[in-house]
Amino acid sequence: MTPLQQNIVTEARDWIGTPYVHQSAVKGAGTDCLGLLRGIWRVLYGDEPESVPAYSMDWSEPQGEERLWNAALRHLHPKDVKDEAPGDVLLFRMRSSAVAKHLGVVGRVGSNPSFVHAYSRFGVVESSLSLPWRRRVVARFTFPEEAS
């Protein structure tokens, strides 16, 4: 694991136990899945790369816009979805007809893969990257070596 990957995984795991709070990004106080990534970004690079507008729980489903995917493309580096590494950012489509609107950070790869994510009703947890979750992954990204 590279030093950057180790830093990402360590920071993601440091958020475990933070309650789920929609639109929040404060370790220990509350976060959603985007807030978790925003918090990791701040530790790695300082200021966030752009302001996040208010968003509803249905995200951009009514408009059918892939806003989260497009934002990831602006600030993260896309990679092949099968090229797994610790610290990768996963983008999930929770239903086949819906926009992609859930994020997580890979904790482990190999025979017991996992990812850290903020999940409503559970807060930040490290979950098994089981087949049902794997089927929902639509994109994989890495954090940049330096902030853009």
Side-chain angles (χ1 to χ4, degrees):
M1 197 175 339
T2 69
L4 177 60
Q5 290 169 322
Q6 184 62 56
N7 289 342
I8 294 164
V9 172
T10 298
E11 182 59 24
R13 287 181 172 148
D14 204 36
W15 285 69
I16 291 174
T18 298
Y20 183 89
V21 177
H22 178 64
Q23 293 190 46
S24 188
V26 181
K27 188 189 319 182
T31 192
D32 59 13
C33 64
L34 176 58
L36 173 62
L37 260 68
R38 292 171 54 208
I40 294 169
W41 183 281
R42 290 190 306 261
V43 167
L44 294 175
Y45 312 112
D47 293 336
E48 294 177 39
E50 67 181 71
S51 297
V52 178
Y55 51 92
S56 63
M57 294 292 277
D58 66 4
W59 196 240
S60 55
E61 285 184 66
Q63 301 85 4
E65 298 173 0
E66 294 287 0
R67 291 181 188 162
L68 195 55
W69 201 329
N70 289 330
L73 287 169
R74 286 193 300 274
H75 306 293
L76 303 172
H77 297 294
K79 62 185 287 192
D80 187 289
V81 76
K82 292 183 172 118
D83 180 17
E84 300 178 330
D88 284 352
V89 175
L90 302 176
L91 179 62
F92 298 88
R93 188 179 313 280
M94 300 306 284
R95 292 188 333 265
S96 61
S97 61
V99 298
K101 64 176 192 173
H102 188 60
L103 297 162
V105 175
V106 174
R108 290 185 310 272
V109 296
S111 62
N112 189 21
S114 68
F115 70 110
V116 178
H117 60 134
Y119 204 37
S120 62
R121 297 185 309 275
F122 298 100
V124 180
V125 295
E126 186 162 2
S127 298
S128 171
L129 189 53
S130 60
L131 188 57
W133 278 111
R134 283 186 179 280
R135 287 181 180 143
R136 292 182 172 114
V137 174
V138 293
R140 181 181 294 268
F141 302 89
T142 59
F143 279 91
E145 288 295 320
E146 296 179 4
S148 49

